[in-house]
Amino acid sequence: MIKLWMAPAGLHIEPGRVADARELARIHALGFYRGWPVGEFESFLADANSPVYVACDARRRIAGFALIRVVEDEAELLTIAVDPKWRGKRIGQALMRAVFDDLLLTPAKRMFLEVSEENAPAIKLYQREGFASISSRKGYYPKADGSQATALVMARDLG
């Protein structure tokens, strides 16, 4: 079965491939203080329990991606990132909706995520997509200045 979802700005969303690891690591590093190494993305891309969704154009230039993990009846958004030149075009929203659509084919009933309480655009996206804050983790995210940010733990029911 071919998995393909439409996205704004002439893009579409499709499953990630191991060959995408270097580009995903590049985009991730642009959005987070501590980007993940290429090898970590290679491991996720090779694991059927951690699907990756990439937003790309017809020539497969990647604008953003979402990475989830599914364990029994729960799903977790491990990370989502959009290249800065593509931000503000609802790519993140399209990625989240592709994830939700694909999760309908799994036993997952609930989805969780963690987000820095300082990341207002991401929190706004998650709230728009039905997530609510259920707890927090103080000092969870390291920051460039050496301090630490609190993570909000958010969840939403699926289906």
Side-chain angles (χ1 to χ4, degrees):
M1 170 168 62
I2 296 174
K3 294 182 179 183
L4 190 71
W5 297 268
M6 297 309 297
L11 302 176
H12 68 275
I13 298 169
E14 64 180 68
R17 304 173 189 161
V18 174
D20 298 330
R22 188 167 305 287
E23 182 64 2
L24 301 187
R26 183 192 73 78
I27 293 169
H28 192 264
L30 293 172
F32 296 92
Y33 163 63
R34 198 177 276 169
W36 296 352
V38 173
E40 197 157 342
F41 281 104
E42 289 170 341
S43 294
F44 283 123
L45 287 157
D47 182 354
N49 293 320
S50 58
V52 179
Y53 305 82
V54 297
C56 58
D57 65 12
R59 292 180 22 199
R60 209 153 194 295
R61 291 179 294 204
I62 298 172
F65 69 93
L67 165 61
I68 68 169
R69 178 182 355 220
V70 179
V71 178
E72 296 183 14
D73 66 346
E74 292 183 350
E76 179 183 7
L77 178 67
L78 297 178
T79 193
I80 184 170
V82 175
D83 189 302
K85 66 185 171 208
W86 286 95
R87 290 182 189 155
K89 296 178 174 25
R90 301 220 178 263
I91 307 303
Q93 180 181 44
L95 285 161
M96 292 300 297
R97 294 201 175 160
V99 166
F100 297 144
D101 182 60
D102 205 28
L103 283 171
L104 293 174
L105 304 173
T106 74
K109 306 252 184 279
R110 195 148 201 226
M111 186 170 192
F112 298 88
L113 62 84
E114 290 147 345
V115 60
S116 170
E117 68 180 1
E118 298 173 4
N119 190 343
I123 293 168
K124 185 176 176 183
L125 167 66
Y126 301 142
Q127 288 173 335
R128 244 189 348 253
E129 295 302 319
F131 285 88
S133 182
I134 59 171
S135 68
S136 64
R137 296 179 184 204
K138 298 224 179 287
Y140 188 74
Y141 289 112
K143 295 170 44 175
D145 66 3
S147 65
Q148 297 177 320
T150 295
L152 299 179
V153 180
M154 302 180 83
R156 73 160 264 180
D157 292 333
L158 300 169

Short mmCIF file of all heavy atoms in Angstrom, two decimals, residues 42-85:
data_model
loop_
_atom_site.label_atom_id
_atom_site.label_comp_id
_atom_site.label_asym_id
_atom_site.label_seq_id
_atom_site.Cartn_x
_atom_site.Cartn_y
_atom_site.Cartn_z
N GLU A 42 18.96 7.16 11.50
CA GLU A 42 19.06 5.89 10.75
C GLU A 42 18.38 4.76 11.52
O GLU A 42 17.64 3.96 10.94
CB GLU A 42 20.52 5.54 10.46
CG GLU A 42 21.15 6.43 9.43
CD GLU A 42 22.66 6.24 9.30
OE1 GLU A 42 23.29 5.70 10.23
OE2 GLU A 42 23.19 6.66 8.25
N SER A 43 18.61 4.71 12.83
CA SER A 43 17.99 3.67 13.67
C SER A 43 16.47 3.79 13.68
O SER A 43 15.76 2.79 13.52
CB SER A 43 18.51 3.75 15.10
OG SER A 43 19.87 3.44 15.15
N PHE A 44 15.97 5.00 13.86
CA PHE A 44 14.52 5.19 13.86
C PHE A 44 13.92 4.82 12.51
O PHE A 44 12.89 4.16 12.43
CB PHE A 44 14.15 6.64 14.21
CG PHE A 44 14.26 6.97 15.67
CD1 PHE A 44 15.07 8.01 16.10
CD2 PHE A 44 13.54 6.26 16.62
CE1 PHE A 44 15.16 8.33 17.45
CE2 PHE A 44 13.62 6.58 17.98
CZ PHE A 44 14.44 7.61 18.39
N LEU A 45 14.57 5.26 11.43
CA LEU A 45 14.04 5.00 10.09
C LEU A 45 14.02 3.52 9.74
O LEU A 45 13.21 3.08 8.93
CB LEU A 45 14.86 5.78 9.06
CG LEU A 45 14.60 7.29 9.05
CD1 LEU A 45 15.77 8.04 8.45
CD2 LEU A 45 13.31 7.60 8.31
N ALA A 46 14.87 2.74 10.37
CA ALA A 46 14.93 1.30 10.11
C ALA A 46 13.97 0.51 11.00
O ALA A 46 13.80 -0.69 10.80
CB ALA A 46 16.36 0.81 10.31
N ASP A 47 13.34 1.16 11.95
CA ASP A 47 12.48 0.48 12.93
C ASP A 47 11.00 0.68 12.58
O ASP A 47 10.51 1.81 12.56
CB ASP A 47 12.78 1.04 14.33
CG ASP A 47 11.98 0.38 15.43
OD1 ASP A 47 11.09 -0.46 15.16
OD2 ASP A 47 12.25 0.71 16.61
N ALA A 48 10.29 -0.41 12.33
CA ALA A 48 8.87 -0.33 11.96
C ALA A 48 8.00 0.28 13.06
O ALA A 48 6.92 0.80 12.78
CB ALA A 48 8.35 -1.72 11.61
N ASN A 49 8.47 0.26 14.31
CA ASN A 49 7.69 0.84 15.41
C ASN A 49 7.91 2.33 15.59
O ASN A 49 7.34 2.93 16.50
CB ASN A 49 8.01 0.11 16.72
CG ASN A 49 7.53 -1.31 16.71
OD1 ASN A 49 6.45 -1.60 16.21
ND2 ASN A 49 8.33 -2.21 17.22
N SER A 50 8.76 2.92 14.75
CA SER A 50 8.99 4.36 14.84
C SER A 50 8.87 4.98 13.44
O SER A 50 9.85 5.39 12.84
CB SER A 50 10.35 4.68 15.47
OG SER A 50 11.40 4.08 14.73
N PRO A 51 7.63 5.05 12.93
CA PRO A 51 7.46 5.62 11.60
C PRO A 51 7.85 7.10 11.53
O PRO A 51 7.67 7.84 12.49
CB PRO A 51 5.98 5.43 11.30
CG PRO A 51 5.33 5.06 12.57
CD PRO A 51 6.38 4.60 13.51
N VAL A 52 8.40 7.46 10.38
CA VAL A 52 8.79 8.83 10.11
C VAL A 52 7.98 9.30 8.90
O VAL A 52 7.83 8.57 7.92
CB VAL A 52 10.30 8.94 9.81
CG1 VAL A 52 10.69 10.37 9.49
CG2 VAL A 52 11.12 8.40 10.97
N TYR A 53 7.48 10.50 8.99
CA TYR A 53 6.69 11.10 7.91
C TYR A 53 7.44 12.32 7.42
O TYR A 53 7.80 13.18 8.23
CB TYR A 53 5.31 11.52 8.45
CG TYR A 53 4.59 10.36 9.11
CD1 TYR A 53 4.88 9.99 10.42
CD2 TYR A 53 3.65 9.61 8.40
CE1 TYR A 53 4.24 8.91 11.02
CE2 TYR A 53 3.01 8.53 8.99
CZ TYR A 53 3.32 8.18 10.30
OH TYR A 53 2.70 7.11 10.90
N VAL A 54 7.70 12.40 6.11
CA VAL A 54 8.43 13.54 5.58
C VAL A 54 7.53 14.35 4.64
O VAL A 54 6.78 13.79 3.84
CB VAL A 54 9.73 13.13 4.84
CG1 VAL A 54 10.71 12.46 5.79
CG2 VAL A 54 9.46 12.22 3.66
N ALA A 55 7.59 15.66 4.81
CA ALA A 55 6.91 16.58 3.90
C ALA A 55 7.94 16.97 2.86
O ALA A 55 9.01 17.49 3.20
CB ALA A 55 6.40 17.80 4.65
N CYS A 56 7.64 16.69 1.59
CA CYS A 56 8.63 16.96 0.54
C CYS A 56 7.93 17.37 -0.75
O CYS A 56 6.72 17.24 -0.89
CB CYS A 56 9.51 15.73 0.32
SG CYS A 56 8.63 14.22 -0.12
N ASP A 57 8.75 17.84 -1.69
CA ASP A 57 8.20 18.21 -2.99
C ASP A 57 8.36 17.03 -3.95
O ASP A 57 8.81 15.94 -3.55
CB ASP A 57 8.87 19.49 -3.51
CG ASP A 57 10.35 19.34 -3.80
OD1 ASP A 57 10.88 18.21 -3.82
OD2 ASP A 57 11.00 20.38 -4.02
N ALA A 58 7.99 17.24 -5.20
CA ALA A 58 8.02 16.16 -6.19
C ALA A 58 9.44 15.63 -6.43
O ALA A 58 9.61 14.48 -6.82
CB ALA A 58 7.42 16.65 -7.51
N ARG A 59 10.46 16.45 -6.15
CA ARG A 59 11.86 16.00 -6.30
C ARG A 59 12.42 15.47 -4.98
O ARG A 59 13.60 15.23 -4.87
CB ARG A 59 12.71 17.14 -6.86
CG ARG A 59 12.29 17.44 -8.30
CD ARG A 59 13.01 18.53 -9.02
NE ARG A 59 14.31 18.92 -8.55
CZ ARG A 59 14.89 20.06 -8.84
NH1 ARG A 59 14.27 20.92 -9.61
NH2 ARG A 59 16.08 20.35 -8.36
N ARG A 60 11.55 15.30 -4.01
CA ARG A 60 11.85 14.75 -2.67
C ARG A 60 12.81 15.63 -1.87
O ARG A 60 13.61 15.14 -1.08
CB ARG A 60 12.37 13.32 -2.76
CG ARG A 60 12.00 12.56 -1.49
CD ARG A 60 11.87 11.07 -1.70
NE ARG A 60 11.20 10.46 -0.58
CZ ARG A 60 11.71 10.42 0.65
NH1 ARG A 60 12.88 10.92 0.92
NH2 ARG A 60 11.03 9.86 1.62
N ARG A 61 12.70 16.94 -2.05
CA ARG A 61 13.41 17.88 -1.17
C ARG A 61 12.57 18.02 0.07
O ARG A 61 11.40 18.42 -0.02
CB ARG A 61 13.64 19.21 -1.87
CG ARG A 61 14.66 19.08 -3.02
CD ARG A 61 14.85 20.39 -3.71
NE ARG A 61 13.59 20.73 -4.38
CZ ARG A 61 13.48 21.53 -5.42
NH1 ARG A 61 14.54 22.13 -5.90
NH2 ARG A 61 12.32 21.78 -5.96
N ILE A 62 13.13 17.68 1.23
CA ILE A 62 12.38 17.59 2.47
C ILE A 62 12.26 18.95 3.15
O ILE A 62 13.26 19.62 3.39
CB ILE A 62 13.02 16.55 3.40
CG1 ILE A 62 12.99 15.17 2.73
CG2 ILE A 62 12.32 16.51 4.76
CD1 ILE A 62 13.76 14.09 3.47
N ALA A 63 11.02 19.32 3.47
CA ALA A 63 10.74 20.59 4.15
C ALA A 63 10.55 20.40 5.65
O ALA A 63 10.74 21.32 6.42
CB ALA A 63 9.49 21.23 3.55
N GLY A 64 10.18 19.19 6.06
CA GLY A 64 9.96 18.91 7.46
C GLY A 64 9.62 17.45 7.67
O GLY A 64 9.43 16.72 6.70
N PHE A 65 9.54 17.05 8.92
CA PHE A 65 9.26 15.65 9.22
C PHE A 65 8.67 15.52 10.62
O PHE A 65 8.82 16.39 11.47
CB PHE A 65 10.52 14.80 9.10
CG PHE A 65 11.53 15.08 10.18
CD1 PHE A 65 11.54 14.33 11.35
CD2 PHE A 65 12.45 16.11 10.05
CE1 PHE A 65 12.45 14.60 12.36
CE2 PHE A 65 13.37 16.39 11.05
CZ PHE A 65 13.37 15.64 12.22
N ALA A 66 8.02 14.39 10.84
CA ALA A 66 7.53 14.00 12.16
C ALA A 66 7.95 12.56 12.40
O ALA A 66 7.91 11.74 11.48
CB ALA A 66 6.00 14.12 12.23
N LEU A 67 8.35 12.28 13.62
CA LEU A 67 8.81 10.95 14.01
C LEU A 67 8.00 10.52 15.23
O LEU A 67 7.93 11.26 16.22
CB LEU A 67 10.30 11.00 14.35
CG LEU A 67 10.93 9.85 15.11
CD1 LEU A 67 10.82 8.54 14.36
CD2 LEU A 67 12.40 10.15 15.39
N ILE A 68 7.38 9.35 15.13
CA ILE A 68 6.59 8.86 16.25
C ILE A 68 7.08 7.47 16.65
O ILE A 68 7.85 6.83 15.93
CB ILE A 68 5.07 8.81 15.92
CG1 ILE A 68 4.76 7.75 14.86
CG2 ILE A 68 4.58 10.18 15.52
CD1 ILE A 68 3.28 7.48 14.70
N ARG A 69 6.60 7.02 17.78
CA ARG A 69 6.84 5.64 18.22
C ARG A 69 5.48 5.09 18.65
O ARG A 69 4.72 5.78 19.33
CB ARG A 69 7.81 5.59 19.39
CG ARG A 69 8.04 4.17 19.88
CD ARG A 69 8.96 4.07 21.08
NE ARG A 69 9.53 5.32 21.48
CZ ARG A 69 10.79 5.49 21.88
NH1 ARG A 69 11.59 4.48 21.96
NH2 ARG A 69 11.23 6.66 22.24
N VAL A 70 5.21 3.85 18.25
CA VAL A 70 3.97 3.20 18.62
C VAL A 70 4.33 1.98 19.46
O VAL A 70 5.12 1.13 19.04
CB VAL A 70 3.16 2.77 17.38
CG1 VAL A 70 1.87 2.07 17.79
CG2 VAL A 70 2.87 3.96 16.49
N VAL A 71 3.77 1.92 20.67
CA VAL A 71 3.95 0.79 21.57
C VAL A 71 2.56 0.38 22.06
O VAL A 71 1.91 1.15 22.78
CB VAL A 71 4.88 1.12 22.76
CG1 VAL A 71 4.99 -0.07 23.69
CG2 VAL A 71 6.24 1.58 22.27
N GLU A 72 2.14 -0.78 21.63
CA GLU A 72 0.82 -1.32 21.96
C GLU A 72 -0.27 -0.29 21.64
O GLU A 72 -0.41 0.09 20.50
CB GLU A 72 0.80 -1.82 23.40
CG GLU A 72 1.76 -2.99 23.59
CD GLU A 72 1.73 -3.58 24.98
OE1 GLU A 72 0.79 -3.28 25.74
OE2 GLU A 72 2.65 -4.35 25.28
N ASP A 73 -1.00 0.20 22.65
CA ASP A 73 -2.11 1.10 22.34
C ASP A 73 -1.77 2.58 22.58
O ASP A 73 -2.66 3.41 22.68
CB ASP A 73 -3.36 0.71 23.13
CG ASP A 73 -3.20 0.88 24.63
OD1 ASP A 73 -2.05 1.05 25.10
OD2 ASP A 73 -4.22 0.85 25.33
N GLU A 74 -0.47 2.89 22.63
CA GLU A 74 -0.05 4.28 22.80
C GLU A 74 0.92 4.70 21.70
O GLU A 74 1.73 3.90 21.24
CB GLU A 74 0.63 4.49 24.15
CG GLU A 74 -0.30 4.33 25.32
CD GLU A 74 0.37 4.59 26.65
OE1 GLU A 74 1.61 4.73 26.71
OE2 GLU A 74 -0.35 4.65 27.66
N ALA A 75 0.84 5.97 21.33
CA ALA A 75 1.77 6.55 20.37
C ALA A 75 2.41 7.76 21.04
O ALA A 75 1.80 8.41 21.90
CB ALA A 75 1.04 6.97 19.11
N GLU A 76 3.64 8.03 20.65
CA GLU A 76 4.35 9.20 21.17
C GLU A 76 4.98 9.96 20.02
O GLU A 76 5.62 9.35 19.15
CB GLU A 76 5.43 8.77 22.16
CG GLU A 76 6.20 9.95 22.73
CD GLU A 76 7.34 9.54 23.66
OE1 GLU A 76 7.63 8.34 23.79
OE2 GLU A 76 7.94 10.45 24.25
N LEU A 77 4.77 11.26 20.00
CA LEU A 77 5.48 12.10 19.04
C LEU A 77 6.87 12.31 19.61
O LEU A 77 7.03 13.00 20.63
CB LEU A 77 4.76 13.44 18.84
CG LEU A 77 5.45 14.42 17.90
CD1 LEU A 77 5.43 13.89 16.46
CD2 LEU A 77 4.78 15.78 17.97
N LEU A 78 7.88 11.71 19.00
CA LEU A 78 9.24 11.85 19.51
C LEU A 78 9.85 13.19 19.11
O LEU A 78 10.55 13.81 19.90
CB LEU A 78 10.12 10.70 19.00
CG LEU A 78 9.70 9.31 19.46
CD1 LEU A 78 10.61 8.25 18.85
CD2 LEU A 78 9.70 9.20 20.98
N THR A 79 9.58 13.61 17.88
CA THR A 79 10.05 14.93 17.44
C THR A 79 9.33 15.30 16.15
O THR A 79 8.87 14.44 15.39
CB THR A 79 11.59 14.96 17.25
OG1 THR A 79 12.02 16.32 17.12
CG2 THR A 79 12.05 14.13 16.07
N ILE A 80 9.26 16.59 15.94
CA ILE A 80 8.73 17.15 14.69
C ILE A 80 9.57 18.39 14.42
O ILE A 80 9.90 19.14 15.35
CB ILE A 80 7.23 17.46 14.79
CG1 ILE A 80 6.66 17.94 13.45
CG2 ILE A 80 6.93 18.42 15.93
CD1 ILE A 80 5.14 18.04 13.43
N ALA A 81 9.94 18.58 13.17
CA ALA A 81 10.76 19.75 12.81
C ALA A 81 10.45 20.18 11.39
O ALA A 81 10.22 19.34 10.51
CB ALA A 81 12.24 19.41 12.95
N VAL A 82 10.45 21.47 11.18
CA VAL A 82 10.24 22.04 9.86
C VAL A 82 11.41 22.97 9.57
O VAL A 82 11.80 23.78 10.43
CB VAL A 82 8.88 22.80 9.78
CG1 VAL A 82 8.72 23.49 8.43
CG2 VAL A 82 7.73 21.83 10.04
N ASP A 83 11.98 22.83 8.39
CA ASP A 83 13.08 23.70 7.97
C ASP A 83 12.61 25.16 8.11
O ASP A 83 11.48 25.49 7.72
CB ASP A 83 13.44 23.38 6.51
CG ASP A 83 14.70 24.07 6.05
OD1 ASP A 83 14.76 25.32 6.10
OD2 ASP A 83 15.62 23.36 5.61
N PRO A 84 13.45 26.03 8.67
CA PRO A 84 13.03 27.43 8.88
C PRO A 84 12.45 28.11 7.64
O PRO A 84 11.52 28.91 7.76
CB PRO A 84 14.32 28.12 9.33
CG PRO A 84 15.10 27.03 10.00
CD PRO A 84 14.79 25.79 9.19
N LYS A 85 12.95 27.80 6.46
CA LYS A 85 12.42 28.46 5.26
C LYS A 85 11.01 28.00 4.90
O LYS A 85 10.34 28.63 4.10
CB LYS A 85 13.37 28.30 4.08
CG LYS A 85 13.55 26.91 3.59
CD LYS A 85 14.60 26.85 2.50
CE LYS A 85 14.91 25.41 2.16
NZ LYS A 85 16.24 25.22 1.67
#
